[in-house]
PDB file of all heavy atoms in Angstrom:
ATOM      1  N   LEU A 136      91.041 111.579  92.995  1.00  0.00           N
ATOM      2  CA  LEU A 136      89.695 112.149  92.900  1.00  0.00           C
ATOM      3  C   LEU A 136      88.931 111.902  94.207  1.00  0.00           C
ATOM      4  O   LEU A 136      88.248 112.786  94.709  1.00  0.00           O
ATOM      5  CB  LEU A 136      88.951 111.529  91.712  1.00  0.00           C
ATOM      6  CG  LEU A 136      87.518 112.004  91.468  1.00  0.00           C
ATOM      7  CD1 LEU A 136      87.449 113.508  91.304  1.00  0.00           C
ATOM      8  CD2 LEU A 136      86.933 111.315  90.241  1.00  0.00           C
ATOM      9  N   GLY A 137      89.083 110.692  94.756  1.00  0.00           N
ATOM     10  CA  GLY A 137      88.435 110.365  96.026  1.00  0.00           C
ATOM     11  C   GLY A 137      88.936 111.246  97.158  1.00  0.00           C
ATOM     12  O   GLY A 137      88.170 111.682  98.016  1.00  0.00           O
ATOM     13  N   ILE A 138      90.232 111.546  97.137  1.00  0.00           N
ATOM     14  CA  ILE A 138      90.809 112.406  98.166  1.00  0.00           C
ATOM     15  C   ILE A 138      90.294 113.830  97.991  1.00  0.00           C
ATOM     16  O   ILE A 138      89.974 114.517  98.960  1.00  0.00           O
ATOM     17  CB  ILE A 138      92.348 112.335  98.114  1.00  0.00           C
ATOM     18  CG1 ILE A 138      92.807 110.954  98.600  1.00  0.00           C
ATOM     19  CG2 ILE A 138      92.984 113.430  98.965  1.00  0.00           C
ATOM     20  CD1 ILE A 138      94.232 110.607  98.253  1.00  0.00           C
ATOM     21  N   ALA A 139      90.152 114.260  96.733  1.00  0.00           N
ATOM     22  CA  ALA A 139      89.594 115.588  96.465  1.00  0.00           C
ATOM     23  C   ALA A 139      88.185 115.688  97.041  1.00  0.00           C
ATOM     24  O   ALA A 139      87.823 116.695  97.659  1.00  0.00           O
ATOM     25  CB  ALA A 139      89.573 115.855  94.963  1.00  0.00           C
ATOM     26  N   ALA A 140      87.387 114.620  96.887  1.00  0.00           N
ATOM     27  CA  ALA A 140      86.019 114.614  97.411  1.00  0.00           C
ATOM     28  C   ALA A 140      86.034 114.706  98.936  1.00  0.00           C
ATOM     29  O   ALA A 140      85.214 115.393  99.535  1.00  0.00           O
ATOM     30  CB  ALA A 140      85.291 113.355  96.961  1.00  0.00           C
ATOM     31  N   ALA A 141      86.996 114.026  99.550  1.00  0.00           N
ATOM     32  CA  ALA A 141      87.088 114.055 101.011  1.00  0.00           C
ATOM     33  C   ALA A 141      87.437 115.451 101.516  1.00  0.00           C
ATOM     34  O   ALA A 141      86.984 115.878 102.569  1.00  0.00           O
ATOM     35  CB  ALA A 141      88.120 113.043 101.498  1.00  0.00           C
ATOM     36  N   LEU A 142      88.247 116.169 100.724  1.00  0.00           N
ATOM     37  CA  LEU A 142      88.715 117.492 101.153  1.00  0.00           C
ATOM     38  C   LEU A 142      87.726 118.608 100.814  1.00  0.00           C
ATOM     39  O   LEU A 142      87.903 119.748 101.236  1.00  0.00           O
ATOM     40  CB  LEU A 142      90.067 117.809 100.491  1.00  0.00           C
ATOM     41  CG  LEU A 142      91.243 116.930 100.894  1.00  0.00           C
ATOM     42  CD1 LEU A 142      92.460 117.259 100.053  1.00  0.00           C
ATOM     43  CD2 LEU A 142      91.567 117.122 102.369  1.00  0.00           C
ATOM     44  N   LEU A 143      86.696 118.266 100.048  1.00  0.00           N
ATOM     45  CA  LEU A 143      85.759 119.260  99.523  1.00  0.00           C
ATOM     46  C   LEU A 143      85.219 120.213 100.592  1.00  0.00           C
ATOM     47  O   LEU A 143      85.229 121.427 100.415  1.00  0.00           O
ATOM     48  CB  LEU A 143      84.605 118.514  98.841  1.00  0.00           C
ATOM     49  CG  LEU A 143      83.895 119.151  97.669  1.00  0.00           C
ATOM     50  CD1 LEU A 143      84.855 119.706  96.646  1.00  0.00           C
ATOM     51  CD2 LEU A 143      82.995 118.120  97.010  1.00  0.00           C
ATOM     52  N   GLY A 144      84.763 119.674 101.690  1.00  0.00           N
ATOM     53  CA  GLY A 144      84.157 120.507 102.724  1.00  0.00           C
ATOM     54  C   GLY A 144      85.159 121.063 103.721  1.00  0.00           C
ATOM     55  O   GLY A 144      84.767 121.589 104.750  1.00  0.00           O
ATOM     56  N   ASP A 145      86.453 120.919 103.435  1.00  0.00           N
ATOM     57  CA  ASP A 145      87.523 121.350 104.334  1.00  0.00           C
ATOM     58  C   ASP A 145      87.253 120.876 105.767  1.00  0.00           C
ATOM     59  O   ASP A 145      87.240 121.679 106.698  1.00  0.00           O
ATOM     60  CB  ASP A 145      87.652 122.878 104.277  1.00  0.00           C
ATOM     61  CG  ASP A 145      88.987 123.347 104.831  1.00  0.00           C
ATOM     62  OD1 ASP A 145      89.901 122.519 104.951  1.00  0.00           O
ATOM     63  OD2 ASP A 145      89.120 124.545 105.151  1.00  0.00           O
ATOM     64  N   PRO A 146      87.011 119.571 105.939  1.00  0.00           N
ATOM     65  CA  PRO A 146      86.546 119.066 107.232  1.00  0.00           C
ATOM     66  C   PRO A 146      87.654 118.902 108.274  1.00  0.00           C
ATOM     67  O   PRO A 146      88.832 118.857 107.930  1.00  0.00           O
ATOM     68  CB  PRO A 146      85.977 117.692 106.873  1.00  0.00           C
ATOM     69  CG  PRO A 146      86.766 117.264 105.697  1.00  0.00           C
ATOM     70  CD  PRO A 146      87.184 118.494 104.952  1.00  0.00           C
ATOM     71  N   ASP A 147      87.228 118.822 109.527  1.00  0.00           N
ATOM     72  CA  ASP A 147      88.174 118.640 110.635  1.00  0.00           C
ATOM     73  C   ASP A 147      88.553 117.178 110.819  1.00  0.00           C
ATOM     74  O   ASP A 147      89.567 116.875 111.426  1.00  0.00           O
ATOM     75  CB  ASP A 147      87.550 119.148 111.943  1.00  0.00           C
ATOM     76  CG  ASP A 147      87.625 120.660 112.042  1.00  0.00           C
ATOM     77  OD1 ASP A 147      88.550 121.241 111.455  1.00  0.00           O
ATOM     78  OD2 ASP A 147      86.761 121.255 112.708  1.00  0.00           O
ATOM     79  N   VAL A 148      87.703 116.305 110.332  1.00  0.00           N
ATOM     80  CA  VAL A 148      87.972 114.874 110.482  1.00  0.00           C
ATOM     81  C   VAL A 148      88.099 114.254 109.096  1.00  0.00           C
ATOM     82  O   VAL A 148      87.254 114.470 108.232  1.00  0.00           O
ATOM     83  CB  VAL A 148      86.815 114.180 111.251  1.00  0.00           C
ATOM     84  CG1 VAL A 148      87.076 112.686 111.370  1.00  0.00           C
ATOM     85  CG2 VAL A 148      86.637 114.802 112.624  1.00  0.00           C
ATOM     86  N   LEU A 149      89.183 113.510 108.881  1.00  0.00           N
ATOM     87  CA  LEU A 149      89.381 112.865 107.587  1.00  0.00           C
ATOM     88  C   LEU A 149      89.622 111.379 107.769  1.00  0.00           C
ATOM     89  O   LEU A 149      90.366 110.972 108.665  1.00  0.00           O
ATOM     90  CB  LEU A 149      90.573 113.492 106.866  1.00  0.00           C
ATOM     91  CG  LEU A 149      90.265 114.870 106.274  1.00  0.00           C
ATOM     92  CD1 LEU A 149      91.499 115.730 106.227  1.00  0.00           C
ATOM     93  CD2 LEU A 149      89.656 114.726 104.896  1.00  0.00           C
ATOM     94  N   MET A 150      88.979 110.581 106.929  1.00  0.00           N
ATOM     95  CA  MET A 150      89.160 109.139 107.006  1.00  0.00           C
ATOM     96  C   MET A 150      89.521 108.612 105.630  1.00  0.00           C
ATOM     97  O   MET A 150      88.858 108.931 104.647  1.00  0.00           O
ATOM     98  CB  MET A 150      87.870 108.461 107.463  1.00  0.00           C
ATOM     99  CG  MET A 150      87.499 108.813 108.882  1.00  0.00           C
ATOM    100  SD  MET A 150      86.286 107.696 109.596  1.00  0.00           S
ATOM    101  CE  MET A 150      85.540 106.997 108.222  1.00  0.00           C
ATOM    102  N   PHE A 151      90.562 107.815 105.580  1.00  0.00           N
ATOM    103  CA  PHE A 151      90.971 107.219 104.309  1.00  0.00           C
ATOM    104  C   PHE A 151      91.085 105.717 104.491  1.00  0.00           C
ATOM    105  O   PHE A 151      91.776 105.251 105.397  1.00  0.00           O
ATOM    106  CB  PHE A 151      92.328 107.776 103.859  1.00  0.00           C
ATOM    107  CG  PHE A 151      92.355 109.275 103.691  1.00  0.00           C
ATOM    108  CD1 PHE A 151      93.067 110.068 104.563  1.00  0.00           C
ATOM    109  CD2 PHE A 151      91.670 109.881 102.652  1.00  0.00           C
ATOM    110  CE1 PHE A 151      93.103 111.451 104.409  1.00  0.00           C
ATOM    111  CE2 PHE A 151      91.690 111.257 102.489  1.00  0.00           C
ATOM    112  CZ  PHE A 151      92.406 112.039 103.368  1.00  0.00           C
ATOM    113  N   ASP A 152      90.414 104.971 103.608  1.00  0.00           N
ATOM    114  CA  ASP A 152      90.500 103.513 103.679  1.00  0.00           C
ATOM    115  C   ASP A 152      91.482 103.046 102.604  1.00  0.00           C
ATOM    116  O   ASP A 152      91.189 103.182 101.416  1.00  0.00           O
ATOM    117  CB  ASP A 152      89.113 102.907 103.453  1.00  0.00           C
ATOM    118  CG  ASP A 152      89.040 101.442 103.846  1.00  0.00           C
ATOM    119  OD1 ASP A 152      89.977 100.966 104.521  1.00  0.00           O
ATOM    120  OD2 ASP A 152      88.067 100.774 103.468  1.00  0.00           O
ATOM    121  N   GLU A 153      92.608 102.547 103.032  1.00  0.00           N
ATOM    122  CA  GLU A 153      93.638 102.039 102.117  1.00  0.00           C
ATOM    123  C   GLU A 153      93.977 103.037 101.004  1.00  0.00           C
ATOM    124  O   GLU A 153      93.861 102.708  99.822  1.00  0.00           O
ATOM    125  CB  GLU A 153      93.176 100.715 101.487  1.00  0.00           C
ATOM    126  CG  GLU A 153      92.679  99.693 102.485  1.00  0.00           C
ATOM    127  CD  GLU A 153      93.758  98.720 102.911  1.00  0.00           C
ATOM    128  OE1 GLU A 153      94.881  98.780 102.375  1.00  0.00           O
ATOM    129  OE2 GLU A 153      93.495  97.895 103.798  1.00  0.00           O
ATOM    130  N   PRO A 154      94.379 104.261 101.353  1.00  0.00           N
ATOM    131  CA  PRO A 154      94.556 105.277 100.312  1.00  0.00           C
ATOM    132  C   PRO A 154      95.735 105.041  99.384  1.00  0.00           C
ATOM    133  O   PRO A 154      95.744 105.561  98.272  1.00  0.00           O
ATOM    134  CB  PRO A 154      94.766 106.570 101.108  1.00  0.00           C
ATOM    135  CG  PRO A 154      95.322 106.126 102.411  1.00  0.00           C
ATOM    136  CD  PRO A 154      94.725 104.779 102.681  1.00  0.00           C
ATOM    137  N   VAL A 155      96.720 104.272  99.790  1.00  0.00           N
ATOM    138  CA  VAL A 155      97.905 104.130  98.945  1.00  0.00           C
ATOM    139  C   VAL A 155      97.793 102.992  97.943  1.00  0.00           C
ATOM    140  O   VAL A 155      98.653 102.835  97.085  1.00  0.00           O
ATOM    141  CB  VAL A 155      99.205 103.955  99.776  1.00  0.00           C
ATOM    142  CG1 VAL A 155      99.433 105.169 100.634  1.00  0.00           C
ATOM    143  CG2 VAL A 155      99.163 102.697 100.612  1.00  0.00           C
ATOM    144  N   ASN A 156      96.696 102.224  98.027  1.00  0.00           N
ATOM    145  CA  ASN A 156      96.510 101.144  97.050  1.00  0.00           C
ATOM    146  C   ASN A 156      96.529 101.692  95.636  1.00  0.00           C
ATOM    147  O   ASN A 156      95.806 102.616  95.315  1.00  0.00           O
ATOM    148  CB  ASN A 156      95.161 100.453  97.280  1.00  0.00           C
ATOM    149  CG  ASN A 156      95.265  99.381  98.340  1.00  0.00           C
ATOM    150  OD1 ASN A 156      96.304  99.228  98.973  1.00  0.00           O
ATOM    151  ND2 ASN A 156      94.183  98.660  98.540  1.00  0.00           N
ATOM    152  N   GLY A 157      97.345 101.116  94.790  1.00  0.00           N
ATOM    153  CA  GLY A 157      97.348 101.504  93.390  1.00  0.00           C
ATOM    154  C   GLY A 157      98.135 102.756  93.076  1.00  0.00           C
ATOM    155  O   GLY A 157      98.128 103.211  91.943  1.00  0.00           O
ATOM    156  N   LEU A 158      98.790 103.335  94.075  1.00  0.00           N
ATOM    157  CA  LEU A 158      99.578 104.536  93.791  1.00  0.00           C
ATOM    158  C   LEU A 158     101.026 104.166  93.510  1.00  0.00           C
ATOM    159  O   LEU A 158     101.555 103.205  94.070  1.00  0.00           O
ATOM    160  CB  LEU A 158      99.521 105.503  94.978  1.00  0.00           C
ATOM    161  CG  LEU A 158      98.190 106.206  95.242  1.00  0.00           C
ATOM    162  CD1 LEU A 158      98.324 107.160  96.411  1.00  0.00           C
ATOM    163  CD2 LEU A 158      97.737 106.968  94.015  1.00  0.00           C
TER     164      LEU A 158
END
Side-chain angles (χ1 to χ4, degrees):
Chain A
L136 180 56
I138 290 164
L142 294 174
L143 211 47
D145 198 17
D147 281 332
V148 178
L149 285 151
M150 294 197 339
F151 302 110
D152 194 13
E153 310 265 356
V155 299
N156 275 6
L158 290 182

